[in-house]
Amino acid sequence: EWASAEACRSITDFMMQKVKTSELEPLRTHLEQAIVQANGDIVAEGKKRGAAIGTTVVAAMVSFRKLLMAHVGDSRAYLLRDGKLISLTKDHSLVALWVERGKLSREEARVHPKSNVLHSHLGQEDDLEVDLNVFDLKPRDRVMICSDGLWGELPEEEIGQIICRFPKPKDCVQQLVRAAYIAGGSDNTTVMVFDIP
């Protein structure tokens, strides 16, 4: 809980201090630096506490119909375009590697007992893997960011159906969280939805 709140605070503060332009390359550099700094803060706190603490992160910025996306761990981002749900992130997890190598299907990975074993997350000292990507946006696109409390409880097909069904982002978020809770609610569920006008 502390690590996720600290990541949000640290990344937001860093970006508010550093960002002076809407040009993509400086934003990309600053966003990566912000995540690396947040990781350092979490590692330092863990050492003070004498315990390993960590979190995942997805950070998104929109500039001139470009979506800049950074992520570490297994929180995810999706794009809904023309009724089709498209994954924008790749989990930094053991089971994601198995899916990539053809040893598991995505659905098998979702419910696998080792689905929470991460090879990159905020709070690790070495080999932090920050994925940074830029996506073109179109009017009427919808972007959703979520924690594994959502995708771990609901198949992507059901997530896509809910996202399509509710025109207002707030209603969409409420229904997604409710559906995850009804499906078992075994983990914290964080969801953010925003539309591109």
Side-chain angles (χ1 to χ4, degrees):
E1 183 182 343
W2 180 89
S4 59
E6 175 60 18
C8 290
R9 185 205 61 74
S10 179
I11 292 166
T12 302
D13 288 353
F14 185 96
M15 295 302 283
M16 288 178 69
Q17 290 171 19
K18 296 285 184 181
V19 172
K20 307 292 184 215
T21 178
S22 55
E23 291 176 29
L24 218 46
E25 279 314 306
L27 287 177
R28 191 180 178 121
T29 300
H30 290 320
L31 190 54
E32 183 170 22
Q33 290 171 341
I35 290 173
V36 168
Q37 179 176 297
N39 184 61
D41 294 344
I42 293 166
V43 167
E45 181 66 21
K47 286 180 177 175
K48 264 198 270 183
R49 294 182 184 200
I53 54 175
T55 188
T56 64
V57 67
V58 176
M61 298 183 73
V62 176
S63 177
F64 299 110
R65 297 230 180 262
K66 300 278 187 188
L67 174 66
L68 172 60
M69 181 79 58
H71 95 282
V72 179
D74 65 352
S75 288
R76 294 181 179 176
Y78 292 90
L79 174 69
L80 181 73
R81 176 175 288 165
D82 302 325
K84 184 178 176 189
L85 191 65
I86 304 158
S87 180
L88 300 179
T89 53
K90 189 169 91 173
D91 295 348
H92 297 152
S93 67
L94 181 61
V95 294
L97 291 173
W98 290 343
V99 169
E100 202 174 286
R101 294 174 185 161
K103 294 181 178 181
L104 289 176
S105 70
R106 279 181 68 89
E107 187 55 29
E108 287 170 332
R110 185 178 73 81
V111 295
H112 196 280
K114 293 191 184 265
S115 64
N116 63 343
V117 178
L118 304 178
H119 59 80
S120 193
H121 60 85
L122 295 190
Q124 69 185 58
E125 290 190 60
D126 302 312
D127 302 322
L128 181 70
E129 182 181 344
V130 181
D131 284 353
L132 284 153
N133 293 291
V134 177
F135 303 95
D136 292 322
L137 293 170
K138 294 181 178 179
R140 294 183 298 282
D141 279 349
R142 172 169 278 186
V143 177
M144 181 192 70
I145 297 170
C146 66
S147 68
D148 61 345
L150 179 70
W151 65 258
E153 296 291 353
L154 301 177
E156 284 185 359
E157 184 180 345
E158 187 174 346
I159 292 170
Q161 289 168 356
I162 294 170
I163 291 174
C164 287
R165 198 179 315 138
F166 295 91
K168 293 182 181 174
K170 181 180 178 182
D171 294 341
C172 185
V173 167
Q174 289 173 341
Q175 290 301 320
L176 287 165
V177 172
R178 184 169 181 260
Y181 177 74
I182 290 168
S186 61
D187 202 349
N188 297 328
T189 304
T190 302
V191 182
M192 175 186 282
V193 173
F194 60 92
D195 291 335
I196 305 302

